[in-house]
Amino acid sequence: MYSDPDAAVGFTLAEAHLEPAAPGSVEAALTDAGLADRIASTNLRDAPRDKQGEPLLNGIRFQSSHPSTPVPEAFDAVLAVPTVARDRTVRF
């Protein structure tokens, strides 16, 4: 999904190759835990923090971007899926 101001709904759908998970991201943590190939629901309320109290999870893949954010402060939980498929009947 990519932003497209000319599209009727403000975005377009496109096939995309995903880059490897960024260090410190939710995806990297799931990979390290051996959960990258399955659906995983992750409670972030007690996510690990560094000695200064900053969250160790500092990024998350979101559609076609990788925003940097203190993930446990932005989300209570994350539902991760290993693959997605485009529904070809959706025309935008």
Side-chain angles (χ1 to χ4, degrees):
M1 184 169 128
Y2 295 92
S3 242
D4 182 354
D6 295 327
V9 294
F11 62 88
T12 57
L13 300 176
E15 302 290 330
H17 172 74
L18 297 179
E19 298 298 322
S25 69
V26 170
E27 297 80 18
L30 290 170
T31 298
D32 292 346
L35 299 172
D37 62 345
R38 60 184 74 171
I39 296 172
S41 176
T42 306
N43 179 349
L44 297 174
R45 292 185 179 146
D46 296 319
R49 295 177 177 269
D50 65 17
K51 291 180 182 180
Q52 291 75 37
E54 295 297 318
L56 294 177
L57 294 174
N58 57 25
I60 187 167
R61 190 183 313 267
F62 182 73
Q63 303 297 344
S64 57
S65 65
H66 299 81
S68 177
T69 187
V71 177
E73 293 174 12
F75 304 98
D76 291 328
V78 170
L79 179 64
V81 294
T83 60
V84 295
R86 182 175 175 184
D87 180 344
R88 297 287 178 189
T89 65
V90 176
R91 301 278 180 213
F92 55 82

